């Protein structure tokens, strides 16, 4: 099941306090980047983030869910209605996220 554009728009609005939020569409789902680093995404209308230490500390009771078959488990973000929480979650995660891999030249 692909994620809805309405849910994407809602999450983008919730993250509007942050600069440099971008996303890419991939097979009906949405991958989120924060200041150039992959932070999570929307999968089947669920907002999932990478399970780095700071994210686990911010949402210690979060469920681990698979974004899609064959992927690594990610943290389900339930409190998507709280803009302040999402902003602090992204800011706390940023330094722990690996740098994006450079694109291969053709």
């Amino acid at each position: 099941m692909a994620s809805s554009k309405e849910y994407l728009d809602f999450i983008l609005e919730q993250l509007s306090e942050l600069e440099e939020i971008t996303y890419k569409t991939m097979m009906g789902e949405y991958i989120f980047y924060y200041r150039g680093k992959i932070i999570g995404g929307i999968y089947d209308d669920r907002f999932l983030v990478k399970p780095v230490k700071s994210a686990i500390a911010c949402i210690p009771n979060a469920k681990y869910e698979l974004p899609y078959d064959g992927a690594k488990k990610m943290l389900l973000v339930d409190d998507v209605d709280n803009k302040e929480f999402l902003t602090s979650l992204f800011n706390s995660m940023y330094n722990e996220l690996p740098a994006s891999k450079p694109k291969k030249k053709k």
Side-chain angles (χ1 to χ4, degrees), residues 32 38-43 46-52 55-56 59 62-65 72-77 85-86 89-90 93 97:
F32 276 80
I38 296 174
I39 198 158
I42 298 173
Y43 305 91
R46 299 168 299 152
F47 191 45
L48 305 175
V49 295
K50 290 188 169 201
V52 295
I56 294 166
I59 41 179
K63 294 178 188 173
Y64 285 81
E65 296 195 3
K72 293 180 182 177
K73 288 187 177 183
M74 298 175 78
L75 295 176
L76 175 65
V77 181
F85 167 73
L86 290 177
L89 174 65
F90 272 47
M93 291 176 66
L97 297 169

Side-chain angles (χ1 to χ4, degrees), residues 67-84:
Y68 52 87
D69 288 338
K72 293 180 182 177
K73 288 187 177 183
M74 298 175 78
L75 295 176
L76 175 65
V77 181
D78 275 334
D79 197 7
V80 294
D81 292 324
N82 186 338
K83 266 184 153 176
E84 276 184 33

Side-chain angles (χ1 to χ4, degrees), residues 25-42:
T25 304
M26 190 170 292
M27 297 184 294
E29 309 297 355
Y30 303 98
I31 311 294
F32 276 80
Y33 295 81
Y34 179 43
R35 296 173 19 199
K37 296 180 179 182
I38 296 174
I39 198 158
I42 298 173

